[in-house]
Every structure is written in structure tokens, then in C-alpha cells.
Amino acid sequence: MSIFISLIIFLSLFISPVLAQESPNPYTGEIKNRLREGIKEFKQNVKTEKTELKDLRNANKEDLEKRKKELKSEAEQRKEEFKSRMEEAKTKAKEQIEAKKVEMKEKLRLVRDEQKKNRVERLEKQLNELNERMTDHFIKVLDRLEKVLVNIESRTDKAEARGWDVSGVRAMITVAESAISETRLAIEAQSAKNYTPTISGNEEGLKSEVGQARQALHRDLGTVKEKIRLSYEAVRRVATTLAQVPKIDDDDDDVSPTVSPSLSPTP
């Protein structure tokens, strides 16, 4: 029972009979005593409710902090596992690149123009280095997105603790997590690729053969970029929807909603 409802009931029980008295009667002293006792009891109830509310609020804060640490720990574990897989994929890619480079140099022996040979070898190195730099960049972007999503999930817990229906947000978080997981797999696959041109040994076909390797790299990086974009959009939608909750971090009880509205995706 809320403090205000208790006060109303108290006034009805003890004050109304006093006001109804038109003339002194032998029960006036008893009524006054009951009134004093009622006020004392009411103040004690108010104090008890405040204490209980404070204890409940502290307990909720402890649970939320524990949940936040768990979310960060899980994200860090996923990050470390992914890092380990990436190192393995890069090691295999380097082995494949070296083997393919040996084949390429064998074919380049058939080419007489030394400038063209040097240009092909230089471009081969640039393509594979670009792929490595871009995959490292994609990883950093995805790590930042996942960090934002962890913070969003923590704030969602706070909103739920305040009485908001966050089922719609939870569903969107699941979609964002899935998008990030798919993107990590795409980056892992991309890091394992090599773009050493397949050389036939025909001097006239060198430009076309190097061009095919360059186009393949451009196409594959574009595919991963699109997955990055989809992950970003998924996280942005969750953040936009959660932003509809007012004063999530405010400790004032007055901001708690009297009705628990459902947070649905913004069109």
C-alpha cells in the first residue's frame, strides 16, 4: 500500500469522526489519544516503507552491476576467442600467399620485360597488405559496435528494473548480436584469403590477370563492408528504440512509469 493511500485511510478513520463532533462529549479525550497513536503509527509505517524501498533499490543496483560485469566478461571472452581464430586464419593465409608467390615468380620468368615483372610483384604485395589492413580495421569497428551493444543491454536491464516492458528491445538486441556474429565470421573468412595474381606467363595477359586479382579484392571487401553496415544499423535501431525510455539512470523513484508501456521498434 502506498504512503499516500495509507494517509487517506488514516484521515478517514481518525480525523473525520473528530470533525463530526458538534459539541464536547466524554469520548473527546479518547479520540485525541487514538489520533496521537494513529499519527505515531503512520509515521513509523512511513519510515519502514522508506527503509524497505531503499533496501530494494540497493539490491536492484547490486544485481544490475553484477549483470553488467557478466555482460562485459562474456563480450571479452568472445573477443579473445575471435582473436585466436583470426591469428590462426592469418597464419594459414600467409602460408598460402608464400606458396602462391613462388608459383607466380616461376611464371614471371617467362616474361622478358623486367619493369612489368617488378610492377606485378609490387602490386601483388600491395593487394595482400591492403587486405590485411582492412580486416584489422573491420575488427576494430566491430569491437566498438559490440561494446556499444553491451552498454545498451546493460541499460535495457535498468529499464526493465524500472518496470518498462523491454521485450521488443530484447528481440532487437538478439538481431544485432546475430548480425555481429555473422560479420565476425565474414572477417575471419576474408583474412584467410590471398590475392596473389594467377599468372599464365603470357606477357600480354599480365594486366588482365593482375586486374582480376584487384577486382576480386575490391568485391570481397565490399561484401564485408556491407555486413559491417548491417551490424551498425542493427545496433543503431536498438539504441534509438531504447532512447525512448526517459531518465534510465535517474535514481529518483518519481520517474518510474505508472504503466509499463511496450517499447517497439521505431519505423
Side-chain angles (χ1 to χ4, degrees):
M1 180 181 298
S2 70
I3 295 174
F4 299 106
I5 295 177
S6 300
L7 178 59
I8 293 173
I9 294 175
F10 167 76
L11 291 174
S12 300
L13 292 176
F14 295 100
I15 297 179
S16 296
V18 175
L19 296 177
Q21 300 296 324
E22 295 181 357
S23 61
N25 60 69
Y27 299 104
T28 301
E30 181 181 352
I31 292 175
K32 288 182 178 179
N33 289 334
R34 289 174 60 190
L35 182 60
R36 282 194 294 268
E37 291 175 1
I39 292 175
K40 182 178 180 181
E41 182 180 356
F42 172 74
K43 288 182 177 180
Q44 183 60 40
N45 289 338
V46 170
K47 184 177 180 181
T48 301
E49 287 190 18
K50 285 184 176 180
T51 301
E52 292 176 350
L53 184 60
K54 183 178 180 180
D55 292 341
L56 178 61
R57 188 186 305 156
N58 291 335
N60 286 338
K61 284 184 178 179
E62 291 177 1
D63 290 341
L64 290 172
E65 285 299 320
K66 181 179 178 181
R67 171 63 175 164
K68 186 176 182 179
K69 290 180 180 179
E70 290 175 353
L71 290 173
K72 288 184 176 181
S73 177
E74 291 171 0
E76 191 63 29
Q77 183 177 354
R78 289 193 298 269
K79 182 179 177 180
E80 290 300 319
E81 291 174 353
F82 177 65
K83 182 179 178 181
S84 178
R85 295 198 308 271
M86 284 294 298
E87 290 176 354
E88 183 178 351
K90 286 183 177 181
T91 299
K92 291 181 179 179
K94 287 180 180 179
E95 293 174 355
Q96 293 175 359
I97 290 172
E98 289 302 319
K100 191 77 177 291
K101 190 183 293 185
V102 171
E103 295 178 6
M104 182 190 74
K105 288 185 176 182
E106 286 295 327
K107 293 293 185 179
L108 284 176
R109 288 182 181 181
L110 301 175
V111 178
R112 296 180 179 180
D113 192 326
E114 291 297 327
Q115 289 185 349
K116 289 183 178 180
K117 287 183 181 181
N118 294 335
R119 190 179 300 116
V120 170
E121 290 178 352
R122 185 170 61 253
L123 288 172
E124 180 273 338
K125 182 180 180 181
Q126 291 174 352
L127 291 176
N128 285 308
E129 287 180 349
L130 176 60
N131 184 52
E132 185 174 3
R133 287 199 306 273
M134 289 304 298
T135 51
D136 289 343
H137 171 68
F138 291 151
I139 292 171
K140 292 178 181 178
V141 172
L142 211 59
D143 285 344
R144 289 197 294 268
L145 281 177
E146 188 164 33
K147 184 177 180 180
V148 171
L149 189 60
V150 168
N151 291 334
I152 289 174
E153 192 165 0
S154 177
R155 289 174 62 78
T156 302
D157 291 337
K158 285 186 178 181
E160 187 173 35
R162 286 184 170 276
W164 291 84
D165 178 7
V166 295
S167 56
V169 177
R170 297 284 188 199
M172 297 173 71
I173 289 175
T174 300
V175 172
E177 289 174 341
S178 178
I180 289 175
S181 296
E182 289 182 8
T183 305
R184 286 199 184 279
L185 291 175
I187 294 174
E188 184 179 345
Q190 182 63 30
S191 68
K193 295 181 179 181
N194 79 81
Y195 294 91
T196 302
T198 301
I199 303 300
S200 64
N202 182 1
E203 187 170 334
E204 299 299 327
L206 284 179
K207 184 176 180 180
S208 175
E209 291 163 351
V210 174
Q212 289 175 4
R214 184 189 290 112
Q215 290 172 6
L217 174 61
H218 179 75
R219 180 177 61 252
D220 293 345
L221 290 178
T223 300
V224 181
K225 283 182 180 180
E226 177 61 17
K227 289 187 177 295
I228 291 283
R229 187 189 68 80
L230 293 175
S231 297
Y232 167 78
E233 287 297 328
V235 173
R236 186 189 64 80
R237 282 194 294 271
V238 184
T240 302
T241 302
L242 189 61
Q244 298 175 25
V245 181
K247 301 180 181 178
I248 294 179
D249 298 316
D250 198 329
D251 290 331
D252 188 356
D253 295 327
D254 292 338
V255 300
S256 298
T258 55
V259 181
S260 298
S262 175
L263 297 179
S264 57
T266 303

